[in-house]
Amino acid sequence: AVHEGQVVSAQELTVLLQPLLTQNSRNLVLFLQDRLSIDDFTYFSESYGNKNPFQNEILRSSPSSLVLPAVNCKATRYLVSDLQESGDWNLMNLTNLNISQLEVNASNPNLLVVQLQPLSSDLKEISTLEAIAENDKIIGRVTMELQERGIHFSVIYTALRPSRISRRTDVVAGVRRQLMATEEEDSLSYPPLNVTTGNYTCILFYASNFSLKANRSVLIDLTNATFLTQNVDISASECSDSNTTLSLKYTNPVNGISSLEIRFLMTNKFYAASARKWFTLDSVEIVQDGEKFAKFNVSGISAPAEYSFHCQLVGTSNLYPARLVPSNEAKDWDVFISELQIQGFNIINNQFSYASDCTGFFTSGIWMGLVTSIILLWILTYGIHMIMQLTTNSRFDDPKGPALSVPQTE
């Protein structure tokens, strides 16, 4: 029994999944999505009438089931590694979703990890609905294929992070920052990607969302593959004191693209004007299937050589503080990186150095406040000046005497 508001911890999840690890036929299928919440099952079913994205009856047809409304993000993030440590599993990652060519030896325990396609990052509910419906079809195809083969299996459907955050007043009040309170680690954070040469870390790279759009239509979410499952090849990265290249190679990131490589080219130079070295991200290159080449010139990404660089939004949009300017065939690509932090030089203790942020001290909001304050202050000063110019009469009429005559010169 799970009471309302309970978030299942990693230890509790291990206890709940213990029956799956001790049964005779240990065939486990893990459907992993980037984000999902228990409210999605009712929200998308009720809001769009007949367009119910959840059509599978696998939960009802199962002899036993368990529904956990909320699970700690750290527990789901390390679920695959925890399951591998719990037993001698035959791990199989299914990325191309070609289940017909999958060879499953039912005599040995098998752990089949199915990476479902990520939900759209533009927060459009219609596209999210379509993505969930497509993932539901994938779940149906995989489970039906295993059932037709006569393989007994258990299914886990979960996500790496929630898609909906509770906005109840009691919850918000409980997590509100207080004066002099220490900053706690974000429950949704994960360690950055690091590139090492020998025993030293030479590149650190982090982003809360790392997504591309090919041909302005095909969404490629690389966040999970880069930072969580680390299904990325960084062996082609290069490090030196003056030039550093972060190379990220992905195999079959989406249907229709067999290989994708993204390069971040950084340089470290001495500038006489500031009498110190600065590192800059000069360009970003995308190589698709080893042939199609796209290059982006970068503006606004630089920091002192001893610092890291941080920016909330980096991409091809004109509205972002740090922009990737496309050249040649790069116009067919859209890049979106949120909460980017990167460092390619002078890394100490495998941690980011102090971050130089892309947002200056005087933001647009500060400038608007200053200009408005100056205008109001000018109006107040002018009003006080006009009041001080008011004068009273120095002479008055005497009702018993002659009328007062004031010359025009006065």
Side-chain angles (χ1 to χ4, degrees), residues 312-371:
Q312 293 182 345
L313 292 175
V314 177
T316 52
S317 174
N318 295 328
L319 303 177
Y320 294 163
R323 187 173 176 235
L324 305 181
V325 182
S327 61
N328 57 50
E329 295 183 2
K331 297 180 179 179
D332 297 332
W333 292 85
D334 285 331
V335 182
F336 173 77
I337 307 176
S338 62
E339 296 297 339
L340 168 71
Q341 188 167 3
I342 190 170
Q343 184 175 356
F345 305 94
N346 303 317
I347 298 175
I348 302 175
N349 296 329
N350 299 331
Q351 295 180 350
F352 280 114
S353 302
Y354 178 83
S356 175
D357 202 278
C358 62
T359 302
F361 180 78
F362 284 95
T363 62
S364 57
I366 294 177
W367 279 115
M368 291 175 62
L370 287 175
V371 172

Side-chain angles (χ1 to χ4, degrees), residues 263-281:
R263 305 186 193 125
F264 295 83
L265 283 72
M266 294 171 281
T267 58
N268 185 19
K269 295 181 180 179
F270 179 82
Y271 291 87
S274 59
R276 68 185 307 173
K277 287 186 176 182
W278 287 70
F279 97 85
T280 58
L281 177 61

Side-chain angles (χ1 to χ4, degrees), residues 200-214:
Y200 299 96
T201 300
C202 62
I203 302 176
L204 288 175
F205 174 65
Y206 175 85
S208 62
N209 192 343
F210 183 26
S211 303
L212 308 176
K213 267 190 178 181

Side-chain angles (χ1 to χ4, degrees), residues 361-405:
F361 180 78
F362 284 95
T363 62
S364 57
I366 294 177
W367 279 115
M368 291 175 62
L370 287 175
V371 172
T372 304
S373 300
I374 292 173
I375 294 175
L376 293 177
L377 183 61
W378 179 82
I379 294 174
L380 178 62
T381 304
Y382 180 77
I384 294 175
H385 177 73
M386 295 299 293
I387 292 175
M388 293 177 63
Q389 297 300 317
L390 295 177
T391 58
T392 57
N393 294 332
S394 59
R395 290 179 293 177
F396 300 93
D397 280 333
D398 185 1
K400 297 181 180 180
L404 180 65
S405 176

